Short mmCIF file of all heavy atoms in Angstrom, two decimals:
data_model
loop_
_atom_site.label_atom_id
_atom_site.label_comp_id
_atom_site.label_asym_id
_atom_site.label_seq_id
_atom_site.Cartn_x
_atom_site.Cartn_y
_atom_site.Cartn_z
N GLU A 81 -2.22 -57.18 -59.98
CA GLU A 81 -2.20 -57.46 -61.50
C GLU A 81 -2.70 -58.86 -61.91
O GLU A 81 -3.47 -58.90 -62.78
CB GLU A 81 -0.74 -57.30 -61.86
CG GLU A 81 -0.52 -57.44 -63.49
CD GLU A 81 0.84 -57.37 -63.87
OE1 GLU A 81 1.51 -56.28 -63.67
OE2 GLU A 81 1.41 -58.25 -64.44
N GLU A 109 -9.99 -49.30 -60.44
CA GLU A 109 -9.01 -50.31 -60.60
C GLU A 109 -9.49 -51.56 -59.98
O GLU A 109 -9.14 -52.70 -60.49
CB GLU A 109 -7.63 -49.87 -60.09
CG GLU A 109 -7.05 -48.76 -60.89
CD GLU A 109 -5.58 -48.81 -60.81
OE1 GLU A 109 -4.92 -50.03 -60.58
OE2 GLU A 109 -4.90 -47.81 -60.82
N TYR A 154 3.33 -39.87 -73.45
CA TYR A 154 3.51 -40.04 -72.02
C TYR A 154 4.16 -41.57 -71.61
O TYR A 154 3.72 -42.40 -72.31
CB TYR A 154 2.32 -39.90 -71.18
CG TYR A 154 2.53 -40.02 -69.69
CD1 TYR A 154 3.29 -39.15 -68.89
CD2 TYR A 154 1.89 -41.04 -69.01
CE1 TYR A 154 3.54 -39.35 -67.57
CE2 TYR A 154 2.00 -41.22 -67.68
CZ TYR A 154 2.97 -40.30 -67.00
OH TYR A 154 2.97 -40.45 -65.55
N SER A 156 4.77 -44.15 -68.29
CA SER A 156 4.92 -44.41 -66.74
C SER A 156 6.01 -45.43 -66.66
O SER A 156 6.21 -46.29 -67.55
CB SER A 156 3.61 -44.95 -66.32
OG SER A 156 3.67 -45.61 -65.15
N GLY A 157 6.68 -45.45 -65.60
CA GLY A 157 8.00 -46.19 -65.49
C GLY A 157 7.92 -47.68 -65.36
O GLY A 157 8.78 -48.41 -65.04
N ARG A 158 6.64 -48.30 -65.66
CA ARG A 158 6.56 -49.78 -65.60
C ARG A 158 6.97 -50.47 -66.87
O ARG A 158 7.29 -51.68 -66.87
CB ARG A 158 5.12 -50.11 -65.52
CG ARG A 158 4.47 -49.88 -64.16
CD ARG A 158 4.24 -51.31 -63.39
NE ARG A 158 3.78 -51.00 -62.18
CZ ARG A 158 2.63 -51.59 -61.61
NH1 ARG A 158 2.02 -52.46 -62.36
NH2 ARG A 158 2.17 -51.33 -60.43
N CYS A 182 6.68 -40.06 -65.92
CA CYS A 182 6.56 -40.16 -64.54
C CYS A 182 7.87 -39.68 -63.92
O CYS A 182 7.77 -39.04 -62.79
CB CYS A 182 6.03 -41.53 -63.93
SG CYS A 182 7.36 -42.75 -64.02
N SER A 183 8.96 -39.86 -64.51
CA SER A 183 10.21 -39.52 -63.89
C SER A 183 10.24 -37.83 -63.81
O SER A 183 10.84 -37.45 -62.80
CB SER A 183 11.38 -39.81 -64.94
OG SER A 183 12.49 -39.76 -64.10
N MET A 185 8.00 -36.28 -62.59
CA MET A 185 7.25 -36.02 -61.28
C MET A 185 8.03 -36.61 -60.10
O MET A 185 7.56 -36.62 -59.11
CB MET A 185 5.86 -36.49 -61.39
CG MET A 185 5.14 -36.04 -62.54
SD MET A 185 3.50 -36.77 -62.48
CE MET A 185 3.41 -37.57 -64.04
N CYS A 186 9.18 -37.15 -60.46
CA CYS A 186 9.61 -38.14 -59.45
C CYS A 186 11.29 -37.81 -59.13
O CYS A 186 11.55 -37.05 -58.38
CB CYS A 186 9.49 -39.50 -60.01
SG CYS A 186 9.99 -40.95 -59.06
N MET A 366 11.59 -39.14 -52.42
CA MET A 366 10.75 -37.95 -52.85
C MET A 366 10.70 -36.71 -51.83
O MET A 366 10.34 -35.61 -52.20
CB MET A 366 9.24 -38.36 -53.04
CG MET A 366 9.08 -39.38 -54.08
SD MET A 366 9.60 -38.92 -55.73
CE MET A 366 11.16 -39.62 -55.93
N GLN A 370 10.86 -33.66 -54.53
CA GLN A 370 9.57 -32.96 -54.71
C GLN A 370 9.45 -31.57 -54.09
O GLN A 370 8.58 -31.41 -53.36
CB GLN A 370 8.46 -33.78 -54.59
CG GLN A 370 8.41 -35.10 -55.55
CD GLN A 370 7.37 -36.06 -55.21
OE1 GLN A 370 6.88 -36.21 -54.00
NE2 GLN A 370 6.91 -36.82 -56.15
N HIS A 404 9.11 -46.23 -59.95
CA HIS A 404 8.57 -47.38 -60.76
C HIS A 404 9.80 -48.28 -61.08
O HIS A 404 10.86 -48.01 -61.04
CB HIS A 404 8.04 -46.95 -62.00
CG HIS A 404 6.65 -46.50 -61.96
ND1 HIS A 404 5.65 -47.55 -61.66
CD2 HIS A 404 6.03 -45.42 -62.19
CE1 HIS A 404 4.45 -46.80 -61.68
NE2 HIS A 404 4.68 -45.62 -61.99
N LEU A 461 1.83 -44.62 -72.53
CA LEU A 461 2.17 -45.91 -72.30
C LEU A 461 2.06 -46.16 -70.90
O LEU A 461 3.17 -45.99 -70.14
CB LEU A 461 3.68 -46.15 -72.85
CG LEU A 461 4.28 -47.50 -72.82
CD1 LEU A 461 3.47 -48.64 -73.29
CD2 LEU A 461 5.63 -47.45 -73.40
N GLY A 462 0.98 -46.58 -70.38
CA GLY A 462 0.77 -46.83 -68.95
C GLY A 462 0.39 -45.58 -68.11
O GLY A 462 0.39 -44.51 -68.65
N GLY A 463 0.35 -45.72 -66.86
CA GLY A 463 0.15 -44.50 -65.85
C GLY A 463 -1.21 -43.94 -65.93
O GLY A 463 -2.25 -44.61 -66.38
N ASN A 464 -1.30 -43.01 -65.08
CA ASN A 464 -2.59 -42.28 -64.76
C ASN A 464 -2.30 -40.83 -64.83
O ASN A 464 -2.30 -40.00 -63.73
CB ASN A 464 -2.99 -42.70 -63.35
CG ASN A 464 -4.36 -42.36 -63.05
OD1 ASN A 464 -5.22 -41.62 -63.89
ND2 ASN A 464 -5.05 -42.77 -62.03
N PHE A 465 -1.93 -40.35 -66.03
CA PHE A 465 -1.44 -39.00 -66.27
C PHE A 465 -2.09 -37.87 -65.48
O PHE A 465 -1.32 -37.22 -64.78
CB PHE A 465 -1.44 -38.83 -67.82
CG PHE A 465 -0.80 -37.55 -68.27
CD1 PHE A 465 0.57 -37.31 -68.34
CD2 PHE A 465 -1.74 -36.50 -68.74
CE1 PHE A 465 0.98 -36.25 -68.87
CE2 PHE A 465 -1.11 -35.36 -69.19
CZ PHE A 465 0.22 -35.14 -69.34
N ALA A 468 -2.07 -38.15 -61.51
CA ALA A 468 -0.68 -38.05 -61.00
C ALA A 468 -0.09 -36.67 -60.95
O ALA A 468 0.63 -36.27 -60.05
CB ALA A 468 0.25 -39.06 -61.70
N LEU A 469 -0.58 -35.92 -62.01
CA LEU A 469 -0.03 -34.51 -62.07
C LEU A 469 -0.87 -33.65 -61.14
O LEU A 469 -1.88 -33.96 -60.65
CB LEU A 469 -0.28 -34.11 -63.63
CG LEU A 469 0.78 -34.49 -64.49
CD1 LEU A 469 0.34 -34.65 -65.88
CD2 LEU A 469 2.15 -33.44 -64.32
N ILE A 488 -2.57 -47.04 -73.15
CA ILE A 488 -2.13 -48.40 -73.03
C ILE A 488 -2.14 -48.73 -71.52
O ILE A 488 -1.32 -48.22 -70.88
CB ILE A 488 -0.84 -48.65 -73.67
CG1 ILE A 488 -0.89 -48.14 -75.13
CG2 ILE A 488 -0.29 -50.20 -73.59
CD1 ILE A 488 0.43 -48.16 -75.87
N GLY A 489 -2.95 -49.66 -71.05
CA GLY A 489 -2.96 -49.96 -69.63
C GLY A 489 -3.52 -51.27 -69.34
O GLY A 489 -4.03 -52.05 -70.16
N THR A 490 -3.44 -51.61 -68.05
CA THR A 490 -3.99 -52.91 -67.49
C THR A 490 -5.25 -52.81 -66.84
O THR A 490 -6.06 -53.65 -66.85
CB THR A 490 -2.85 -53.53 -66.53
OG1 THR A 490 -2.57 -52.49 -65.63
CG2 THR A 490 -1.78 -53.90 -67.25
N LYS A 491 -5.49 -51.67 -66.15
CA LYS A 491 -6.60 -51.45 -65.40
C LYS A 491 -7.21 -49.99 -65.59
O LYS A 491 -6.48 -49.04 -65.98
CB LYS A 491 -6.40 -51.58 -63.98
CG LYS A 491 -6.16 -52.98 -63.55
CD LYS A 491 -6.16 -53.08 -61.97
CE LYS A 491 -6.10 -54.60 -61.66
NZ LYS A 491 -6.32 -54.68 -60.18
N LEU A 492 -8.59 -49.88 -65.47
CA LEU A 492 -9.18 -48.66 -65.78
C LEU A 492 -8.93 -47.54 -64.66
O LEU A 492 -8.74 -47.88 -63.42
CB LEU A 492 -10.75 -48.87 -65.66
CG LEU A 492 -11.66 -47.82 -66.15
CD1 LEU A 492 -11.43 -47.49 -67.52
CD2 LEU A 492 -13.07 -48.11 -65.84
N ASN A 493 -8.62 -46.33 -65.04
CA ASN A 493 -8.41 -45.35 -64.08
C ASN A 493 -9.00 -43.96 -64.64
O ASN A 493 -9.55 -44.00 -65.73
CB ASN A 493 -6.89 -45.17 -63.73
CG ASN A 493 -6.04 -44.71 -64.92
OD1 ASN A 493 -6.50 -43.87 -65.76
ND2 ASN A 493 -4.98 -45.38 -65.06
N HIS A 496 -8.27 -42.42 -68.04
CA HIS A 496 -8.94 -43.03 -69.21
C HIS A 496 -10.29 -42.57 -69.47
O HIS A 496 -10.84 -42.75 -70.57
CB HIS A 496 -9.02 -44.60 -68.81
CG HIS A 496 -7.71 -45.28 -68.65
ND1 HIS A 496 -7.65 -46.46 -68.00
CD2 HIS A 496 -6.49 -44.83 -68.85
CE1 HIS A 496 -6.23 -46.89 -67.86
NE2 HIS A 496 -5.61 -45.93 -68.42
N CYS A 508 -3.09 -54.25 -72.12
CA CYS A 508 -1.96 -55.00 -72.40
C CYS A 508 -1.66 -55.98 -71.41
O CYS A 508 -2.21 -55.92 -70.36
CB CYS A 508 -0.75 -53.87 -72.41
SG CYS A 508 -0.39 -53.08 -70.89
N LEU A 509 -0.67 -56.84 -71.75
CA LEU A 509 -0.24 -57.85 -70.81
C LEU A 509 0.45 -57.17 -69.62
O LEU A 509 1.28 -56.18 -69.90
CB LEU A 509 0.84 -58.69 -71.51
CG LEU A 509 0.34 -59.61 -72.80
CD1 LEU A 509 1.59 -60.30 -73.30
CD2 LEU A 509 -0.61 -60.72 -72.19
N GLY A 510 0.41 -57.77 -68.45
CA GLY A 510 1.26 -57.28 -67.32
C GLY A 510 2.50 -58.02 -67.31
O GLY A 510 2.66 -59.13 -68.02
N ARG A 511 3.42 -57.66 -66.28
CA ARG A 511 4.69 -58.34 -66.33
C ARG A 511 4.59 -59.86 -65.87
O ARG A 511 5.50 -60.45 -66.11
CB ARG A 511 5.50 -57.58 -65.27
CG ARG A 511 6.97 -57.78 -65.49
CD ARG A 511 7.79 -56.76 -64.76
NE ARG A 511 7.87 -55.52 -65.22
CZ ARG A 511 8.43 -54.62 -64.59
NH1 ARG A 511 8.99 -54.76 -63.50
NH2 ARG A 511 8.55 -53.47 -65.04
N GLU A 550 2.97 -54.78 -74.73
CA GLU A 550 3.23 -53.42 -74.90
C GLU A 550 3.98 -53.11 -76.22
O GLU A 550 3.72 -52.26 -77.05
CB GLU A 550 3.99 -52.83 -73.74
CG GLU A 550 2.94 -52.55 -72.46
CD GLU A 550 3.58 -52.07 -71.42
OE1 GLU A 550 4.92 -52.29 -71.16
OE2 GLU A 550 2.99 -51.47 -70.44
N THR A 646 2.47 -34.25 -49.49
CA THR A 646 1.61 -35.19 -50.10
C THR A 646 2.27 -36.56 -50.06
O THR A 646 3.35 -36.72 -50.59
CB THR A 646 1.00 -34.89 -51.53
OG1 THR A 646 2.05 -34.75 -52.32
CG2 THR A 646 0.22 -33.57 -51.36
N ILE A 647 1.67 -37.63 -49.41
CA ILE A 647 2.39 -38.87 -49.33
C ILE A 647 1.55 -40.08 -49.74
O ILE A 647 0.38 -39.94 -49.90
CB ILE A 647 2.77 -39.07 -47.73
CG1 ILE A 647 1.59 -38.63 -46.87
CG2 ILE A 647 3.98 -38.37 -47.40
CD1 ILE A 647 1.67 -39.03 -45.40
N ARG A 648 2.27 -41.18 -49.78
CA ARG A 648 1.72 -42.47 -50.14
C ARG A 648 1.22 -43.19 -48.83
O ARG A 648 1.91 -43.09 -47.88
CB ARG A 648 2.69 -43.38 -50.85
CG ARG A 648 3.02 -42.72 -52.10
CD ARG A 648 4.37 -43.26 -52.68
NE ARG A 648 4.57 -42.99 -54.00
CZ ARG A 648 5.01 -41.81 -54.65
NH1 ARG A 648 5.18 -40.92 -53.69
NH2 ARG A 648 5.01 -41.70 -55.83
N TYR A 653 -0.12 -47.86 -54.47
CA TYR A 653 1.04 -47.77 -55.34
C TYR A 653 0.69 -46.60 -56.22
O TYR A 653 -0.10 -46.68 -57.18
CB TYR A 653 1.18 -49.05 -56.23
CG TYR A 653 2.53 -49.05 -56.81
CD1 TYR A 653 3.64 -49.74 -56.13
CD2 TYR A 653 2.75 -48.22 -57.88
CE1 TYR A 653 4.91 -49.64 -56.76
CE2 TYR A 653 4.05 -48.20 -58.35
CZ TYR A 653 5.14 -48.82 -57.80
OH TYR A 653 6.38 -48.77 -58.32
N ASN A 654 1.25 -45.41 -55.94
CA ASN A 654 0.98 -44.37 -56.71
C ASN A 654 -0.54 -44.04 -56.69
O ASN A 654 -1.21 -44.08 -55.68
CB ASN A 654 1.53 -44.26 -58.01
CG ASN A 654 3.05 -44.29 -58.00
OD1 ASN A 654 3.67 -44.01 -56.93
ND2 ASN A 654 3.83 -44.75 -58.96
N THR A 655 -1.10 -43.81 -57.85
CA THR A 655 -2.55 -43.55 -57.90
C THR A 655 -3.45 -44.79 -57.71
O THR A 655 -4.67 -44.81 -57.75
CB THR A 655 -2.99 -42.93 -59.12
OG1 THR A 655 -2.92 -43.76 -60.25
CG2 THR A 655 -2.10 -41.61 -59.48
N THR A 656 -2.76 -46.00 -57.74
CA THR A 656 -3.36 -47.24 -57.50
C THR A 656 -3.58 -47.53 -56.02
O THR A 656 -2.63 -47.53 -55.25
CB THR A 656 -2.60 -48.40 -58.03
OG1 THR A 656 -2.52 -48.29 -59.45
CG2 THR A 656 -3.22 -49.74 -57.63
N TYR A 724 -1.67 -38.36 -51.33
CA TYR A 724 -1.62 -38.23 -52.75
C TYR A 724 -2.54 -39.48 -53.29
O TYR A 724 -2.28 -40.54 -52.72
CB TYR A 724 -0.17 -38.30 -53.24
CG TYR A 724 0.22 -39.09 -54.47
CD1 TYR A 724 -0.32 -38.80 -55.84
CD2 TYR A 724 1.05 -40.13 -54.42
CE1 TYR A 724 0.13 -39.39 -56.89
CE2 TYR A 724 1.65 -40.71 -55.54
CZ TYR A 724 1.01 -40.35 -56.81
OH TYR A 724 1.43 -41.03 -57.97
N PRO A 725 -3.24 -39.40 -54.33
CA PRO A 725 -3.51 -38.32 -55.21
C PRO A 725 -4.62 -37.39 -54.83
O PRO A 725 -4.84 -36.33 -55.43
CB PRO A 725 -4.01 -38.99 -56.48
CG PRO A 725 -4.81 -40.27 -56.09
CD PRO A 725 -3.94 -40.66 -54.73
N ALA A 727 -4.92 -35.05 -52.60
CA ALA A 727 -4.45 -33.75 -52.40
C ALA A 727 -3.95 -33.03 -53.53
O ALA A 727 -3.48 -31.87 -53.45
CB ALA A 727 -3.62 -33.71 -51.19
N ASN A 728 -3.84 -33.64 -54.71
CA ASN A 728 -3.23 -33.11 -55.88
C ASN A 728 -3.95 -31.78 -56.41
O ASN A 728 -3.32 -31.06 -57.11
CB ASN A 728 -3.13 -34.06 -57.01
CG ASN A 728 -1.95 -35.15 -56.68
OD1 ASN A 728 -1.82 -35.50 -55.57
ND2 ASN A 728 -1.22 -35.50 -57.80
N VAL A 731 -2.20 -28.64 -55.48
CA VAL A 731 -0.86 -28.23 -55.98
C VAL A 731 -1.09 -27.42 -57.32
O VAL A 731 -1.50 -28.02 -58.36
CB VAL A 731 -0.04 -29.53 -56.26
CG1 VAL A 731 1.43 -29.13 -56.52
CG2 VAL A 731 -0.05 -30.45 -55.03
N TYR A 745 5.41 -31.30 -54.90
CA TYR A 745 4.41 -31.97 -54.15
C TYR A 745 4.57 -32.08 -52.73
O TYR A 745 3.72 -32.53 -51.97
CB TYR A 745 4.24 -33.52 -54.65
CG TYR A 745 3.86 -33.66 -56.03
CD1 TYR A 745 4.79 -34.31 -56.99
CD2 TYR A 745 2.60 -33.42 -56.48
CE1 TYR A 745 4.43 -34.59 -58.33
CE2 TYR A 745 2.21 -33.66 -57.89
CZ TYR A 745 3.16 -34.28 -58.73
OH TYR A 745 2.76 -34.51 -59.98
N LYS A 746 5.89 -31.78 -52.15
CA LYS A 746 6.16 -32.09 -50.86
C LYS A 746 6.25 -30.69 -50.02
O LYS A 746 6.73 -30.73 -48.91
CB LYS A 746 7.41 -32.79 -50.56
CG LYS A 746 7.42 -34.22 -51.14
CD LYS A 746 6.69 -35.19 -50.30
CE LYS A 746 6.86 -36.70 -50.68
NZ LYS A 746 5.88 -37.25 -51.79
N1 LIG B 802 0.70 -35.19 -54.94
C1 LIG B 802 1.58 -36.13 -55.41
N2 LIG B 802 1.59 -36.46 -56.81
C2 LIG B 802 2.53 -37.28 -57.17
C3 LIG B 802 3.45 -37.87 -56.27
C4 LIG B 802 3.49 -37.43 -54.98
O1 LIG B 802 4.33 -37.98 -54.22
N3 LIG B 802 2.54 -36.64 -54.49
N4 LIG B 802 4.50 -38.78 -57.02
C5 LIG B 802 4.74 -38.64 -58.36
C6 LIG B 802 5.49 -39.84 -58.78
S1 LIG B 802 6.96 -40.12 -57.78
C7 LIG B 802 5.05 -40.59 -59.80
S2 LIG B 802 6.29 -41.83 -60.40
C8 LIG B 802 3.86 -40.31 -60.55
C9 LIG B 802 3.23 -41.67 -60.96
O2 LIG B 802 2.41 -41.52 -62.08
P1 LIG B 802 1.92 -42.61 -62.98
O3 LIG B 802 3.00 -43.51 -63.30
O4 LIG B 802 1.29 -42.10 -64.14
O5 LIG B 802 0.92 -43.34 -62.13
P2 LIG B 802 0.54 -44.95 -61.63
O6 LIG B 802 -0.36 -44.67 -60.58
O7 LIG B 802 1.80 -45.53 -61.33
O8 LIG B 802 -0.16 -45.59 -62.86
C10 LIG B 802 -1.25 -46.50 -62.63
C11 LIG B 802 -1.85 -47.02 -63.91
O9 LIG B 802 -0.90 -47.76 -64.58
C12 LIG B 802 -1.47 -48.80 -65.37
N5 LIG B 802 -0.61 -49.94 -65.41
C13 LIG B 802 -0.29 -50.81 -64.34
N6 LIG B 802 0.56 -51.70 -64.69
C14 LIG B 802 0.77 -51.51 -66.02
C15 LIG B 802 1.51 -52.28 -67.07
O10 LIG B 802 2.25 -53.12 -66.72
N7 LIG B 802 1.60 -51.69 -68.34
C16 LIG B 802 0.73 -50.51 -68.66
N8 LIG B 802 0.87 -50.28 -69.92
N9 LIG B 802 0.02 -49.96 -67.61
C17 LIG B 802 0.06 -50.31 -66.53
C18 LIG B 802 -2.82 -48.98 -64.73
O11 LIG B 802 -3.81 -48.74 -65.82
C19 LIG B 802 -2.84 -48.06 -63.68
O12 LIG B 802 -4.20 -47.43 -63.47
O13 LIG B 802 2.98 -39.60 -59.68
C20 LIG B 802 3.45 -38.41 -59.17
N10 LIG B 802 2.38 -37.64 -58.52
#
Side-chain angles (χ1 to χ4, degrees):
E81 180 177 301
E109 289 208 32
Y154 180 66
S156 159
R158 283 255 177 130
C182 73
S183 203
M185 302 178 240
C186 183
M366 299 298 101
Q370 293 176 334
H404 272 297
L461 180 55
N464 193 356
F465 182 75
L469 273 155
I488 303 171
T490 49
K491 287 193 171 183
L492 192 62
N493 62 44
H496 301 160
C508 63
L509 295 174
R511 202 172 283 170
E550 290 176 338
T646 58
I647 43 171
R648 295 158 163 80
Y653 196 97
N654 297 342
T655 68
T656 295
Y724 145 58
N728 286 34
V731 190
Y745 294 119
K746 298 281 193 270

